[in-house]
Amino acid sequence: MPAETHQLGRHVDAEGIAELLISLLERDTPLSADVTLAECGLGDDDVHWLWEAVCEEFSERTLSPELEAGALLPGMTIGRAAAVMAGMLADGGDDGGC
């Protein structure tokens, strides 16, 4: 059984993460999962704050895998980024921290 600090706080799936990302990125016009992060104004250095927000929302005590360089790219759609994040969280939260 994993230690308490390595357990996820809630069930994590790509759809739930996409909803969170859309709520974080949405401004004047509604967004969909087909919009790229770049179209939302994010660059290479901006994707880390999204990962931190997902970690805070879905991980117990914000413990989750480190964001590897190139794992999230501005050219990804919100849906694809959400799928990548869900996979990273599902693979385990004991590899480091956000």
Side-chain angles (χ1 to χ4, degrees):
M1 177 179 241
E4 175 190 352
T5 58
H6 294 116
Q7 295 178 4
L8 296 177
R10 298 187 347 201
H11 173 72
V12 179
D13 63 16
E15 185 177 318
I17 293 175
E19 289 174 11
L20 175 63
L21 296 179
I22 288 169
S23 71
L24 292 171
L25 296 170
E26 202 165 58
R27 298 292 185 261
D28 297 329
T29 59
L31 293 177
S32 72
D34 298 331
V35 174
T36 67
L37 299 177
E39 291 172 319
C40 296
L42 298 179
D44 289 327
D45 297 331
D46 299 321
V47 295
H48 282 83
W49 75 266
L50 282 180
W51 176 238
E52 291 172 3
V54 168
C55 291
E56 189 170 314
E57 182 71 19
F58 291 103
S59 289
E60 183 69 27
R61 297 187 186 173
T62 66
L63 288 178
S64 58
E66 294 256 350
L67 180 61
E68 295 180 22
L72 297 174
L73 301 170
M76 288 181 166
T77 63
I78 292 172
R80 178 68 185 134
V84 168
M85 291 179 186
M88 289 170 44
L89 289 174
D91 285 342
D94 56 350
D95 296 330
C98 288

